[in-house]
Amino acid sequence: MAIDEGLVGWVVESLAPIGTVTMRRMMGGATLYCDGTIFAIFSQDALWFKADAASDAFWDGQNCPRISFDMPGRGVVSMNSRRAPDEVHDDADAMQRWAVLALEAGRRAPVRRKRRTTRSRKGTAGPDS
């Protein structure tokens, strides 16, 4: 899937007063960060903002559905991301309002720790040494 570079540019430009937006491509889409906090993704040819229980009422009030997809063996799975309201595509103030709501959800999200991998240590004597 190609990412709409024009939309990415619009997000970066619109949110410049709030912070620095960066993008990381992954799994056929992309994740957007603002000053290091995940706040949105590009997937299924759309922009999806991060949401959580504290912000769900705002998203529901705008009829912004959750992103969902069919996962083999698990059925339909949904994530805590909501489709961006149409107004964000041409109104910088709207983009900022909704992005701030998503940033707040991103800041409330638990931090995932990187998995530690075990590596064999060089120079360590084995049982047959």
Side-chain angles (χ1 to χ4, degrees):
M1 172 187 86
I3 298 199
D4 183 342
E5 297 294 336
L7 182 53
V8 173
W10 170 246
V11 172
V12 170
E13 178 185 333
S14 299
L15 299 184
I18 294 171
T20 302
V21 175
T22 56
M23 179 180 79
R24 182 172 155 199
R25 293 178 185 272
M26 54 192 340
M27 299 183 290
T31 302
L32 293 179
Y33 300 80
C34 184
D35 295 333
T37 300
I38 295 173
F39 75 97
I41 59 173
F42 283 110
S43 183
Q44 301 174 359
D45 295 326
L47 175 64
W48 303 83
F49 283 123
K50 189 158 188 65
D52 62 5
S55 64
D56 278 343
F58 296 104
W59 299 108
D60 289 341
Q62 291 294 310
N63 297 315
C64 298
R66 289 182 185 278
I67 189 171
S68 60
F69 49 93
D70 191 14
M71 202 166 189
R74 291 183 58 192
V76 176
V77 176
S78 65
M79 295 173 46
N80 282 335
S81 293
R82 299 294 194 111
R83 189 176 187 108
D86 290 339
E87 65 184 335
V88 305
H89 296 280
D90 58 9
D91 182 343
D93 291 333
M95 175 68 78
Q96 290 174 13
R97 281 192 311 273
W98 290 102
V100 164
L101 189 64
L103 273 166
E104 290 168 353
R107 290 179 185 128
R108 286 189 295 265
V111 176
R112 290 188 177 180
R113 304 278 181 210
K114 289 184 179 181
R115 283 185 173 181
R116 290 180 59 189
T117 57
T118 56
R119 297 182 190 170
S120 61
R121 294 184 182 157
K122 290 183 180 180
T124 302
D128 296 314
S129 304

